Amino acid sequence: MLDDYFFVDRVKNISINYSRLFFDLQKIKEYTSFCQLDDFYQVFNQIILSILLDKEIILIDADFSEEEKINLLNNLNEQKISFESFKEISLEKIKQKLKTNKNWRLTLFTSGTTGRPKGITHNKSTLLDNVRIAYNKKDDIWGYAYSVTHMAGIQVFFQALLNGNTIVKLFGYNRKQIIESIQKDGVTHISATPTFFRLLLPNESSFTNVKRITFGGEKLSNSLKKNMVDVFPKAKFLNVYASTEAGAIFAAEGDVFEIKKGMQSFVMVKDSILFIHKCKVGESEELVLEEEWYNTGDLVEVLKEDPMTIRFLSRKNEMLNVGGYKVNPYEVEDILRSLKAVQDVRVFGKTNSVLGNIICADIVLHDGHNLTKQEIVSLLKGKIQDFKIPRVVKILDSLEKTRTGKIKRS
Amino acid sequence: MEEKLNGIITELMEYSGNVLSIEVNEETNLRDDLGLDSFQLAELTVHIEEEFGIDVFEDGLVNTVGEIYKKISDAG
């Protein structure tokens, strides 16, 4: 197993086997709880180290600017410690520590509903519930298509690590590079958003090495699923309902989810809204609980009581899903309003065949000011993450209001 | 129509800070030659839809600039 690869990044010509991973970890003597790195391998190292040390780890997106980071972390203390380097590290030891750890927690910073990104803290029960360790999974090779700061990315990381699998980096790469990595590195499993899979269309080749495809983060259209059968002819398909707060919760082959027996007592539907019990979601100050239940804001239809079977109707909240990333339109509006030339602004999503939604902004400028679309975008760069920046910007004389005087959002 | 579309593509590239170093023709591959990512492709569809009233990526089956020409002229 030690000769098996842990991490492969074909584009950067990096391949690291498990013995090299353990060797690298054994050299480290210092640990800090804040982790904001572009390099996925370094982030994985830091996560493993936090487990071995039984310390909290806080993952921050690499594209958060200093200004954003200061705002985000103002209540948090960075822990820095020095320690005797580990003499022996093995997968067994990591698994053992995960079982016995008392303090270990993992916090992810994501875009929030109140304008400011919020941290969600997970403990091992919310993170590892869905990890399946089995002998027949030992040769799986995971195409890594999520960011490491994405809940789904963390889940794929644990699924791969704890089975001694290989992680092949696909995230952030272009179509040609992705296709080459899937083929040459023999990827067998890919978990990604529909937007990621749409990037592979139209398919010039099909991948017979891929055995399992998992869709998550956005609604999956029937046409995409049909196209994917041609691209991955040997694969089984799984559709996952997951949230940043709770991680992967249900899985199904289509859009109808049957809730497993072990999960049923943690799921409740009230007035067509899906609630999840608090023990299955991460902790956050900004998570509103109704007694012991977390309101997902998702509207569902109950098709059958026993076993509980549901279908998702729509998402109730106003977060825009852009290629699997959640964007809060109010956060983007606030940032735009902070620009001197901007008088009024409306940020909204427009249905888009490539990304699901595309962020649009209608902007009214103060008299005597002049700003081009390009200038607006460059002013936003570094202030908010790239995926939140409006791609379609229109400068208007006035904004259309609804009959009640509110800005029209869709 | 082709001129208009090339104009949209040139503007899109400039907008994202890339310089268009090749001449756009029917053979030009959107992802491989121009290096467009999902966000830029999404933006491209919006501009094409505004200009020509057709969603060229609806079925996800577009690779080259020539294929867009064809979709637009088929629809028109």
Side-chain angles (χ1 to χ4, degrees), chain B:
Chain B
M1 173 266 278
E2 287 160 28
E3 232 167 74
K4 256 187 189 159
L5 181 64
N6 290 2
I8 291 174
I9 293 171
T10 311
E11 202 178 304
L12 178 79
M13 298 290 286
E14 281 169 4
Y15 172 48
S16 48
N18 300 320
V19 183
L20 195 57
S21 54
I22 55 163
E23 200 189 319
V24 176
N25 59 39
E26 285 192 16
E27 304 283 298
T28 309
N29 189 300
L30 300 169
R31 297 164 174 103
D32 298 344
D33 298 330
L34 298 177
L36 300 186
D37 63 15
S38 298
F39 285 91
Q40 291 168 313
L41 287 174
E43 212 178 315
L44 182 63
T45 59
V46 174
H47 295 311
I48 294 174
E49 197 169 351
E50 276 171 359
E51 187 69 45
F52 303 105
I54 163 176
D55 180 356
V56 287
F57 276 84
E58 203 171 9
D59 53 8
L61 306 176
V62 175
N63 250 343
T64 62
V65 172
E67 285 162 28
I68 300 183
Y69 292 158
K70 190 169 179 307
K71 287 217 169 188
I72 294 172
S73 51
D74 285 355

Coordinates of all heavy atoms in Angstrom, one line a residue, chain B:
Chain B
M1 N -23.3 38.0 -39.4 CA -23.5 37.2 -38.1 C -22.2 36.8 -37.6 O -21.9 36.9 -36.4 CB -24.5 36.1 -38.4 CG -24.6 35.1 -37.3 SD -23.5 33.7 -37.3 CE -24.3 32.6 -38.5
E2 N -21.3 36.3 -38.5 CA -20.0 35.8 -38.0 C -19.1 36.9 -37.4 O -18.5 36.7 -36.4 CB -19.3 35.1 -39.2 CG -20.0 33.7 -39.5 CD -19.7 33.2 -40.9 OE1 -18.6 33.5 -41.4 OE2 -20.6 32.4 -41.4
E3 N -19.2 38.0 -38.1 CA -18.5 39.2 -37.6 C -18.9 39.6 -36.2 O -18.1 39.8 -35.3 CB -18.7 40.4 -38.5 CG -17.4 41.0 -39.0 CD -17.7 42.0 -40.1 OE1 -18.2 43.0 -39.8 OE2 -17.4 41.6 -41.3
K4 N -20.3 39.6 -36.0 CA -20.9 39.9 -34.7 C -20.4 39.0 -33.6 O -20.0 39.3 -32.5 CB -22.4 39.9 -34.8 CG -23.0 41.3 -34.9 CD -24.5 41.2 -34.8 CE -25.1 42.5 -35.1 NZ -26.5 42.4 -35.5
L5 N -20.5 37.7 -34.0 CA -20.1 36.6 -33.0 C -18.6 36.8 -32.6 O -18.2 36.7 -31.5 CB -20.4 35.2 -33.6 CG -20.0 34.1 -32.6 CD1 -20.9 34.1 -31.4 CD2 -20.2 32.8 -33.3
N6 N -17.7 37.0 -33.7 CA -16.3 37.2 -33.4 C -16.1 38.4 -32.5 O -15.2 38.4 -31.6 CB -15.5 37.3 -34.7 CG -15.5 36.0 -35.5 OD1 -16.1 35.0 -35.0 ND2 -14.8 36.0 -36.6
G7 N -16.9 39.4 -32.7 CA -16.8 40.6 -31.9 C -17.1 40.3 -30.4 O -16.5 40.7 -29.5
I8 N -18.2 39.5 -30.2 CA -18.6 39.1 -28.9 C -17.5 38.3 -28.2 O -17.1 38.5 -27.0 CB -19.9 38.2 -28.9 CG1 -21.1 39.0 -29.3 CG2 -20.1 37.5 -27.6 CD1 -22.4 38.2 -29.5
I9 N -16.9 37.4 -28.9 CA -15.8 36.6 -28.4 C -14.6 37.4 -28.0 O -14.0 37.3 -26.9 CB -15.4 35.4 -29.4 CG1 -16.5 34.4 -29.5 CG2 -14.1 34.7 -28.9 CD1 -16.3 33.4 -30.6
T10 N -14.2 38.3 -28.9 CA -13.1 39.2 -28.7 C -13.3 40.0 -27.4 O -12.4 40.1 -26.5 CB -12.8 40.2 -29.9 OG1 -12.8 39.4 -31.1 CG2 -11.5 40.9 -29.7
E11 N -14.5 40.6 -27.3 CA -14.8 41.4 -26.1 C -14.8 40.6 -24.8 O -14.2 41.0 -23.8 CB -16.2 42.0 -26.3 CG -16.5 43.2 -25.5 CD -17.9 43.8 -25.8 OE1 -18.2 44.0 -27.0 OE2 -18.6 43.9 -24.8
L12 N -15.3 39.4 -24.9 CA -15.3 38.5 -23.8 C -13.9 38.2 -23.3 O -13.6 38.2 -22.1 CB -16.0 37.2 -24.1 CG -16.0 36.1 -23.1 CD1 -17.1 36.4 -22.1 CD2 -16.3 34.7 -23.7
M13 N -13.0 38.0 -24.2 CA -11.6 37.7 -23.9 C -10.9 38.9 -23.3 O -10.2 38.8 -22.3 CB -10.8 37.3 -25.1 CG -11.3 36.0 -25.8 SD -11.0 34.5 -24.9 CE -9.2 34.3 -25.1
E14 N -11.2 40.1 -23.8 CA -10.6 41.3 -23.3 C -11.1 41.6 -21.9 O -10.3 41.9 -21.0 CB -10.9 42.5 -24.2 CG -10.0 42.5 -25.4 CD -10.5 43.5 -26.5 OE1 -11.5 44.2 -26.2 OE2 -9.9 43.6 -27.5
Y15 N -12.4 41.3 -21.7 CA -13.0 41.6 -20.4 C -12.4 40.7 -19.3 O -12.3 41.2 -18.2 CB -14.5 41.3 -20.6 CG -15.4 41.3 -19.4 CD1 -15.3 42.3 -18.5 CD2 -16.3 40.2 -19.2 CE1 -16.1 42.3 -17.4 CE2 -17.1 40.2 -18.1 CZ -17.0 41.2 -17.2 OH -17.8 41.2 -16.1
S16 N -12.0 39.5 -19.6 CA -11.4 38.7 -18.6 C -9.9 38.9 -18.6 O -9.2 38.1 -17.9 CB -11.8 37.2 -18.8 OG -11.6 36.9 -20.1
G17 N -9.4 39.9 -19.2 CA -7.9 40.2 -19.1 C -7.0 39.3 -20.0 O -5.8 39.4 -19.9
N18 N -7.6 38.6 -21.0 CA -6.8 37.8 -21.9 C -6.7 38.5 -23.2 O -7.6 39.2 -23.6 CB -7.5 36.4 -22.1 CG -7.6 35.6 -20.9 OD1 -6.7 35.6 -20.0 ND2 -8.7 34.9 -20.7
V19 N -5.5 38.3 -23.8 CA -5.3 38.9 -25.1 C -5.6 37.8 -26.1 O -5.2 36.6 -26.0 CB -3.9 39.4 -25.3 CG1 -3.7 40.1 -26.6 CG2 -3.6 40.4 -24.2
L20 N -6.4 38.1 -27.1 CA -6.7 37.2 -28.1 C -5.5 37.1 -29.1 O -5.3 38.0 -29.9 CB -8.0 37.6 -28.9 CG -8.7 36.6 -29.7 CD1 -9.0 35.4 -28.9 CD2 -9.9 37.2 -30.4
S21 N -4.7 36.0 -29.0 CA -3.5 35.9 -29.7 C -3.7 35.2 -31.1 O -2.8 35.2 -31.9 CB -2.4 35.3 -28.9 OG -2.9 34.1 -28.4
I22 N -4.8 34.6 -31.2 CA -5.0 33.8 -32.5 C -6.2 34.4 -33.2 O -7.0 35.1 -32.6 CB -5.3 32.3 -32.2 CG1 -6.4 32.1 -31.3 CG2 -4.0 31.6 -31.7 CD1 -7.0 30.8 -31.3
E23 N -6.3 34.1 -34.5 CA -7.4 34.6 -35.3 C -8.5 33.6 -35.1 O -8.3 32.4 -35.2 CB -7.0 34.7 -36.8 CG -7.9 35.6 -37.6 CD -7.6 35.4 -39.0 OE1 -6.4 35.4 -39.4 OE2 -8.6 35.4 -39.8
V24 N -9.7 34.1 -34.8 CA -10.9 33.2 -34.6 C -11.5 32.8 -35.9 O -11.8 33.7 -36.8 CB -12.0 34.0 -33.7 CG1 -13.2 33.1 -33.6 CG2 -11.4 34.3 -32.4
N25 N -11.5 31.5 -36.2 CA -12.2 31.1 -37.4 C -13.1 29.9 -37.0 O -13.3 29.5 -35.8 CB -11.2 30.7 -38.4 CG -10.2 29.6 -38.0 OD1 -10.6 28.7 -37.3 ND2 -9.0 29.8 -38.3
E26 N -13.7 29.2 -38.0 CA -14.6 28.2 -37.7 C -14.1 27.0 -36.9 O -14.7 26.3 -36.2 CB -15.1 27.6 -39.1 CG -16.1 28.5 -39.7 CD -16.9 27.8 -40.9 OE1 -16.8 26.6 -41.0 OE2 -17.5 28.6 -41.7
E27 N -12.8 26.8 -37.1 CA -12.1 25.7 -36.5 C -11.8 25.9 -35.0 O -11.4 25.0 -34.3 CB -10.8 25.4 -37.2 CG -10.9 25.1 -38.7 CD -11.5 23.7 -39.0 OE1 -10.8 22.7 -38.6 OE2 -12.6 23.6 -39.5
T28 N -11.8 27.2 -34.6 CA -11.3 27.5 -33.3 C -12.1 26.8 -32.2 O -13.4 26.9 -32.2 CB -11.4 29.1 -33.1 OG1 -10.8 29.7 -34.1 CG2 -10.8 29.5 -31.8
N29 N -11.4 26.1 -31.3 CA -12.0 25.4 -30.2 C -12.2 26.3 -29.0 O -11.2 26.9 -28.6 CB -11.2 24.2 -29.9 CG -11.9 23.3 -28.9 OD1 -12.3 23.7 -27.8 ND2 -12.2 22.0 -29.3
L30 N -13.4 26.4 -28.5 CA -13.6 27.4 -27.4 C -12.8 27.1 -26.2 O -12.3 28.0 -25.5 CB -15.1 27.4 -27.1 CG -16.1 27.7 -28.2 CD1 -17.5 27.4 -27.8 CD2 -16.0 29.2 -28.5
R31 N -12.7 25.8 -25.8 CA -12.0 25.5 -24.6 C -10.5 25.3 -24.8 O -9.7 25.9 -24.1 CB -12.6 24.2 -24.0 CG -14.1 24.4 -23.6 CD -14.6 23.0 -23.4 NE -16.0 23.0 -22.8 CZ -17.1 22.7 -23.6 NH1 -16.9 22.5 -24.9 NH2 -18.2 22.7 -23.0
D32 N -10.2 24.5 -25.8 CA -8.8 24.2 -26.0 C -8.0 25.3 -26.6 O -6.9 25.6 -26.2 CB -8.7 23.0 -27.0 CG -9.3 21.7 -26.4 OD1 -9.6 21.8 -25.1 OD2 -9.6 20.8 -27.1
D33 N -8.5 26.0 -27.6 CA -7.8 27.1 -28.3 C -7.9 28.4 -27.5 O -6.9 29.2 -27.3 CB -8.2 27.3 -29.7 CG -8.0 26.1 -30.5 OD1 -7.0 25.3 -30.2 OD2 -8.7 25.8 -31.5
L34 N -9.1 28.8 -27.1 CA -9.4 30.0 -26.4 C -9.2 29.9 -24.9 O -9.1 30.9 -24.2 CB -10.7 30.6 -26.8 CG -11.0 30.9 -28.2 CD1 -12.5 31.4 -28.4 CD2 -10.1 32.0 -28.8
G35 N -9.2 28.7 -24.4 CA -9.1 28.4 -23.0 C -10.2 28.9 -22.1 O -10.0 29.3 -21.0
L36 N -11.4 29.0 -22.7 CA -12.6 29.5 -21.9 C -12.9 28.5 -20.8 O -12.9 27.3 -21.1 CB -13.8 29.7 -22.8 CG -13.6 30.7 -24.0 CD1 -15.0 30.9 -24.7 CD2 -13.1 32.1 -23.5
D37 N -13.2 29.0 -19.6 CA -13.7 28.1 -18.6 C -15.2 28.2 -18.5 O -15.9 28.9 -19.2 CB -13.0 28.5 -17.2 CG -13.4 29.9 -16.8 OD1 -14.3 30.5 -17.3 OD2 -12.7 30.4 -15.9
S38 N -15.8 27.5 -17.5 CA -17.2 27.4 -17.4 C -17.9 28.8 -17.3 O -18.9 29.1 -17.8 CB -17.7 26.6 -16.2 OG -17.2 25.3 -16.3
F39 N -17.2 29.7 -16.5 CA -17.8 31.0 -16.2 C -17.8 31.8 -17.5 O -18.7 32.5 -17.8 CB -16.9 31.7 -15.2 CG -17.2 31.2 -13.8 CD1 -16.5 30.2 -13.2 CD2 -18.2 31.8 -13.0 CE1 -16.7 29.7 -12.0 CE2 -18.5 31.3 -11.8 CZ -17.8 30.3 -11.2
Q40 N -16.7 31.7 -18.3 CA -16.6 32.4 -19.6 C -17.6 31.9 -20.6 O -18.2 32.6 -21.4 CB -15.2 32.4 -20.1 CG -14.3 33.3 -19.2 CD -12.8 33.0 -19.5 OE1 -12.4 31.9 -19.7 NE2 -12.1 34.1 -19.7
L41 N -17.7 30.5 -20.6 CA -18.7 29.9 -21.5 C -20.1 30.4 -21.2 O -20.9 30.7 -22.1 CB -18.6 28.4 -21.5 CG -17.4 27.8 -22.1 CD1 -17.4 26.3 -21.9 CD2 -17.3 28.0 -23.6
A42 N -20.4 30.5 -19.9 CA -21.7 30.9 -19.4 C -22.0 32.3 -19.9 O -23.1 32.6 -20.4 CB -21.8 30.8 -17.9
E43 N -21.0 33.2 -19.8 CA -21.1 34.5 -20.2 C -21.3 34.6 -21.7 O -22.1 35.4 -22.2 CB -19.8 35.2 -19.8 CG -19.9 36.7 -19.5 CD -18.5 37.2 -19.1 OE1 -17.8 36.6 -18.3 OE2 -18.2 38.3 -19.6
L44 N -20.6 33.8 -22.4 CA -20.7 33.8 -23.9 C -22.1 33.4 -24.3 O -22.7 34.1 -25.1 CB -19.7 32.8 -24.4 CG -19.7 32.6 -26.0 CD1 -19.2 33.9 -26.6 CD2 -18.7 31.5 -26.4
T45 N -22.7 32.4 -23.6 CA -24.1 32.1 -24.0 C -25.1 33.2 -23.7 O -26.0 33.4 -24.5 CB -24.6 30.9 -23.1 OG1 -24.6 31.2 -21.7 CG2 -23.9 29.6 -23.3
V46 N -24.9 34.0 -22.7 CA -25.7 35.1 -22.4 C -25.7 36.2 -23.5 O -26.7 36.6 -24.0 CB -25.4 35.8 -21.0 CG1 -26.2 37.1 -20.8 CG2 -25.6 34.8 -19.9
H47 N -24.4 36.5 -23.9 CA -24.3 37.5 -25.0 C -24.8 37.0 -26.3 O -25.4 37.8 -27.1 CB -22.8 37.9 -25.1 CG -22.3 38.6 -23.9 ND1 -22.9 39.6 -23.3 CD2 -21.2 38.3 -23.1 CE1 -22.2 40.0 -22.2 NE2 -21.2 39.2 -22.1
I48 N -24.6 35.7 -26.6 CA -25.2 35.2 -27.9 C -26.7 35.2 -27.8 O -27.3 35.6 -28.8 CB -24.6 33.8 -28.1 CG1 -23.1 33.8 -28.4 CG2 -25.3 33.1 -29.3 CD1 -22.4 32.5 -28.5
E49 N -27.2 34.8 -26.7 CA -28.7 34.8 -26.5 C -29.3 36.2 -26.7 O -30.3 36.4 -27.3 CB -29.1 34.2 -25.2 CG -30.5 33.7 -25.2 CD -30.9 32.9 -24.0 OE1 -30.0 32.5 -23.2 OE2 -32.1 32.6 -23.8
E50 N -28.6 37.2 -26.1 CA -29.1 38.6 -26.3 C -29.1 39.0 -27.7 O -30.0 39.7 -28.2 CB -28.2 39.5 -25.5 CG -28.6 39.6 -24.0 CD -27.6 40.3 -23.1 OE1 -26.6 40.8 -23.7 OE2 -27.9 40.4 -21.9
E51 N -28.0 38.6 -28.4 CA -27.8 39.1 -29.8 C -28.7 38.3 -30.8 O -29.3 38.8 -31.7 CB -26.4 39.0 -30.2 CG -26.0 39.5 -31.5 CD -26.1 41.1 -31.5 OE1 -25.7 41.7 -30.6 OE2 -26.6 41.6 -32.5
F52 N -28.7 37.0 -30.6 CA -29.4 36.1 -31.6 C -30.6 35.3 -31.1 O -31.2 34.6 -31.8 CB -28.3 35.1 -32.1 CG -27.1 35.7 -32.7 CD1 -25.9 35.7 -32.0 CD2 -27.2 36.3 -34.0 CE1 -24.8 36.3 -32.6 CE2 -26.0 36.9 -34.5 CZ -24.8 36.9 -33.8
G53 N -30.9 35.4 -29.8 CA -32.1 34.8 -29.3 C -32.0 33.3 -29.2 O -33.0 32.6 -29.3
I54 N -30.8 32.7 -29.1 CA -30.8 31.3 -29.0 C -29.7 30.8 -28.0 O -28.7 31.5 -27.9 CB -30.4 30.7 -30.4 CG1 -29.9 29.2 -30.3 CG2 -29.5 31.5 -31.2 CD1 -29.7 28.5 -31.5
D55 N -30.1 29.8 -27.2 CA -29.2 29.3 -26.2 C -28.3 28.2 -26.9 O -28.8 27.1 -27.0 CB -30.0 28.7 -25.0 CG -29.1 28.2 -24.0 OD1 -27.8 28.1 -24.2 OD2 -29.6 27.7 -22.9
V56 N -27.1 28.5 -27.3 CA -26.3 27.6 -28.0 C -25.8 26.4 -27.2 O -25.4 25.4 -27.7 CB -25.1 28.2 -28.8 CG1 -25.6 29.1 -29.9 CG2 -24.3 29.0 -27.8
F57 N -25.8 26.5 -25.9 CA -25.3 25.5 -25.0 C -26.4 24.6 -24.4 O -26.1 23.8 -23.5 CB -24.4 26.0 -23.9 CG -23.0 26.3 -24.4 CD1 -22.7 27.4 -25.1 CD2 -22.0 25.3 -24.2 CE1 -21.4 27.7 -25.5 CE2 -20.7 25.5 -24.7 CZ -20.4 26.7 -25.3
E58 N -27.6 24.8 -24.9 CA -28.7 24.1 -24.3 C -28.5 22.6 -24.1 O -28.8 22.1 -23.1 CB -30.0 24.4 -25.1 CG -31.3 24.3 -24.3 CD -32.5 24.7 -25.1 OE1 -32.3 25.0 -26.3 OE2 -33.5 24.8 -24.5
D59 N -28.0 22.0 -25.2 CA -27.8 20.6 -25.1 C -26.3 20.2 -24.8 O -25.9 19.1 -24.9 CB -28.3 19.9 -26.4 CG -27.7 20.5 -27.6 OD1 -26.7 21.4 -27.5 OD2 -28.1 20.1 -28.8
G60 N -25.5 21.3 -24.5 CA -24.1 21.0 -24.2 C -23.2 20.6 -25.3 O -22.1 20.1 -25.0
L61 N -23.7 20.7 -26.5 CA -22.9 20.0 -27.6 C -22.2 21.0 -28.5 O -22.4 21.0 -29.7 CB -23.8 19.1 -28.4 CG -24.6 18.0 -27.5 CD1 -25.5 17.2 -28.4 CD2 -23.6 17.1 -26.8
V62 N -21.5 21.9 -27.9 CA -20.7 22.9 -28.8 C -19.3 22.9 -28.4 O -18.9 23.0 -27.2 CB -21.3 24.3 -28.6 CG1 -20.5 25.3 -29.3 CG2 -22.7 24.4 -29.0
N63 N -18.4 22.7 -29.4 CA -17.0 22.7 -29.2 C -16.3 23.9 -29.9 O -15.4 24.5 -29.3 CB -16.4 21.4 -29.7 CG -15.9 20.5 -28.6 OD1 -15.8 21.0 -27.5 ND2 -15.7 19.3 -28.9
T64 N -16.7 24.1 -31.1 CA -16.0 25.1 -31.9 C -16.8 26.3 -32.3 O -18.1 26.2 -32.2 CB -15.5 24.5 -33.3 OG1 -16.7 24.1 -34.0 CG2 -14.6 23.2 -33.0
V65 N -16.2 27.3 -32.7 CA -16.9 28.5 -33.2 C -17.8 28.2 -34.4 O -18.9 28.7 -34.5 CB -15.8 29.6 -33.5 CG1 -16.5 30.8 -34.2 CG2 -15.1 30.1 -32.3
G66 N -17.3 27.3 -35.2 CA -18.1 26.9 -36.4 C -19.4 26.3 -36.0 O -20.5 26.5 -36.6
E67 N -19.4 25.5 -34.9 CA -20.7 24.9 -34.4 C -21.6 25.9 -33.9 O -22.9 25.8 -34.0 CB -20.3 23.9 -33.3 CG -19.7 22.6 -33.9 CD -19.0 21.8 -32.8 OE1 -19.4 21.9 -31.6 OE2 -18.1 21.1 -33.2
I68 N -21.1 27.0 -33.4 CA -22.0 28.1 -32.9 C -22.6 28.8 -34.2 O -23.8 29.0 -34.2 CB -21.3 29.2 -32.1 CG1 -20.7 28.5 -30.8 CG2 -22.2 30.3 -31.7 CD1 -20.0 29.5 -29.9
Y69 N -21.8 29.1 -35.2 CA -22.3 29.7 -36.4 C -23.5 28.8 -36.9 O -24.5 29.3 -37.3 CB -21.2 29.6 -37.6 CG -20.0 30.5 -37.4 CD1 -18.9 30.2 -38.1 CD2 -20.1 31.7 -36.6 CE1 -17.7 31.0 -38.0 CE2 -19.0 32.5 -36.5 CZ -17.8 32.2 -37.2 OH -16.7 32.9 -37.0
K70 N -23.3 27.5 -36.9 CA -24.3 26.6 -37.5 C -25.6 26.7 -36.7 O -26.7 26.8 -37.2 CB -23.7 25.2 -37.5 CG -24.6 24.3 -38.3 CD -24.0 22.9 -38.6 CE -24.9 22.0 -39.4 NZ -26.2 21.8 -38.8
K71 N -25.4 26.6 -35.3 CA -26.6 26.7 -34.5 C -27.4 27.9 -34.7 O -28.6 27.9 -34.7 CB -26.2 26.6 -33.0 CG -25.8 25.2 -32.6 CD -26.2 24.8 -31.2 CE -26.0 23.3 -31.1 NZ -26.5 22.8 -29.9
I72 N -26.7 29.0 -34.8 CA -27.4 30.3 -35.0 C -28.1 30.4 -36.4 O -29.2 30.7 -36.5 CB -26.4 31.5 -34.9 CG1 -25.8 31.6 -33.5 CG2 -27.1 32.8 -35.3 CD1 -24.7 32.6 -33.3
S73 N -27.4 29.9 -37.4 CA -28.0 30.0 -38.7 C -29.1 29.0 -38.9 O -30.1 29.2 -39.5 CB -27.0 29.8 -39.9 OG -26.2 28.7 -39.7
D74 N -29.0 27.8 -38.2 CA -30.1 26.8 -38.2 C -31.4 27.4 -37.5 O -32.5 27.2 -38.0 CB -29.7 25.6 -37.5 CG -28.8 24.7 -38.3 OD1 -28.6 25.1 -39.5 OD2 -28.3 23.7 -37.8
A75 N -31.1 28.2 -36.5 CA -32.3 28.7 -35.7 C -32.9 29.9 -36.5 O -34.1 30.1 -36.4 CB -31.8 29.2 -34.4
G76 N -32.1 30.6 -37.2 CA -32.6 31.8 -37.9 C -33.3 31.3 -39.2 O -34.1 31.9 -39.8

